[in-house]
Amino acid sequence: MEANPKDGTVKPWLTRKNLERFKGPNDLIIDSRQNVYFTDQGQTGMTDPTGKVYRVSPDGRLDTLVDNGASPNGLALSVDEAFLYVAMTRANQVWRLPLHADGTTSKAGVFFQSFGNAGPDGLAVDEEGNVFVCHPSLGCVFVVDAQGLPRARVVSGTDGVNLTNCCFGGPGNRTLYITDSMEGNVQKVEWHCRGATRAPSLKR
């Protein structure tokens, strides 16, 4: 969607790839070169692995990076932007996609395998390359290093378990904010290093 803050109007920005309408876009991120990556999840899953991951370049070109995803959801880039991490919720996996100089990807693999009634959702990365994986049915955020080895688990601070998204911000960009979509709260954890993505700033 494209929103105009001056007059409050909202209109579609992109609705289809060629003649095919999107199933249901879910999450997006923007890299340092202003490429927009987004997932098209819809109702896909293990019996319908047709979810897609797209990239829109600054010149408006729309590329399909993944077309066989079982519910592609959250996205994050590695610190050097050489890899794209994609949460595949219904497969209970996080995929790792190499991003080549010509804009293509190949040899995508499973970076992290989890378990539970619902799989990974939102993702974030810190400056050391650790990937933070929100897991809605287990009430935690897994912290996985760049080699795919789980290093820590951040547990919900309430009885709620539906931790769906996370991002870094706060003083020094060292605070991890985590949403619980069922309870409607935001939790936070002070981390030892900064997030890989700069915290947004407001123009006054």
Side-chain angles (χ1 to χ4, degrees):
M1 304 300 289
E2 186 176 281
N4 186 330
K6 292 182 178 179
D7 59 18
T9 58
V10 178
K11 63 181 181 180
W13 176 56
L14 196 62
T15 61
R16 65 185 69 225
K17 172 71 182 288
N18 297 330
L19 296 177
E20 182 182 9
R21 292 189 66 87
F22 298 136
K23 299 173 182 292
N26 182 273
D27 208 338
L28 66 82
I29 55 173
I30 303 173
D31 70 14
S32 61
R33 296 176 295 280
Q34 301 305 301
N35 292 297
V36 178
Y37 297 83
F38 69 94
T39 51
D40 189 23
Q41 181 185 54
Q43 298 300 306
T44 60
M46 298 296 286
T47 57
D48 178 24
T50 58
K52 296 178 173 60
V53 179
Y54 292 104
R55 179 187 56 233
V56 185
S57 61
D59 62 7
R61 189 180 74 250
L62 179 62
D63 297 314
T64 304
L65 300 182
V66 172
D67 61 7
N68 64 332
S71 195
N73 200 333
L75 295 163
L77 287 161
S78 61
V79 177
D80 59 4
E81 298 188 350
F83 298 96
L84 177 68
Y85 298 104
V86 184
M88 294 291 177
T89 301
R90 303 305 166 204
N92 245 309
Q93 297 173 338
V94 175
W95 289 11
R96 178 177 176 267
L97 280 63
L99 298 175
H100 305 310
D102 63 357
T104 63
T105 185
S106 64
K107 295 186 177 180
V110 176
F111 170 75
F112 176 69
Q113 178 73 60
S114 61
F115 51 91
N117 297 328
D121 194 334
L123 305 176
V125 175
D126 69 16
E127 64 182 354
E128 294 179 353
N130 298 304
V131 182
F132 295 72
V133 182
C134 291
H135 203 297
S137 70
L138 300 181
C140 69
V141 178
F142 290 100
V143 184
V144 186
D145 70 18
Q147 284 69 49
L149 183 65
R151 292 292 189 180
R153 189 166 66 100
V154 179
V155 180
S156 175
T158 72
D159 291 334
V161 298
N162 209 39
L163 305 186
T164 53
N165 224 319
C166 63
C167 69
F168 278 92
N173 202 28
R174 295 172 184 264
T175 304
L176 183 72
Y177 294 96
I178 308 164
T179 59
D180 185 323
S181 64
M182 291 295 288
E183 289 203 345
N185 63 42
V186 178
Q187 304 178 28
K188 68 175 184 176
V189 173
E190 301 304 324
W191 198 242
H192 69 273
C193 68
R194 296 173 297 181
T197 303
R198 291 180 58 186
S201 59
L202 295 175
K203 294 182 180 179
R204 300 184 184 278

